[in-house]
Amino acid sequence: MIKFVIALSLFLNGELSEYRIQNSMSDCLKNKRIATRNMNMDNKQLVCGQVKAIIDKNVDGSESIRKIIIESK
C-alpha cells in the first residue's frame, strides 16, 4: 500500500540510512530532540517530514515503511 506518512529519517554521511513512521509532526520533533541528545551526531542528521512511502502491515497490526518513494519533477 502506498500512502503519505510522517517519518523520522536518519542520514549517515549524507545517505538515507533508516526511517520510522511517527504519529504526528510533534511526535516526530520530540523523538528527534530525544535522539539528538542521546547519541553522537557526528556525520549524522535526523529529519522529520511527510514522505510518500510503500507501507507494510506488521503481524501486530502496526505499520512500517518498506521504501520511501522519491518522485523527480
Side-chain angles (χ1 to χ4, degrees), residues 14-64:
E15 301 270 332
L16 181 59
S17 172
E18 190 175 327
Y19 30 79
R20 301 278 182 209
I21 293 176
Q22 303 294 303
N23 293 325
S24 65
M25 185 61 79
S26 62
D27 284 343
C28 188
L29 293 170
K30 176 184 170 187
N31 290 328
K32 177 183 173 185
R33 271 192 313 276
I34 292 167
T36 301
R37 286 184 199 138
N38 294 322
M39 63 192 274
N40 178 357
M41 294 302 293
D42 293 343
N43 301 318
K44 296 179 188 122
Q45 181 181 13
L46 290 166
V47 178
C48 289
Q50 185 177 29
V51 297
K52 186 176 183 181
I54 300 172
I55 304 297
D56 287 334
K57 276 272 197 206
N58 298 323
V59 176
D60 64 357
S62 64
E63 296 179 333
S64 62

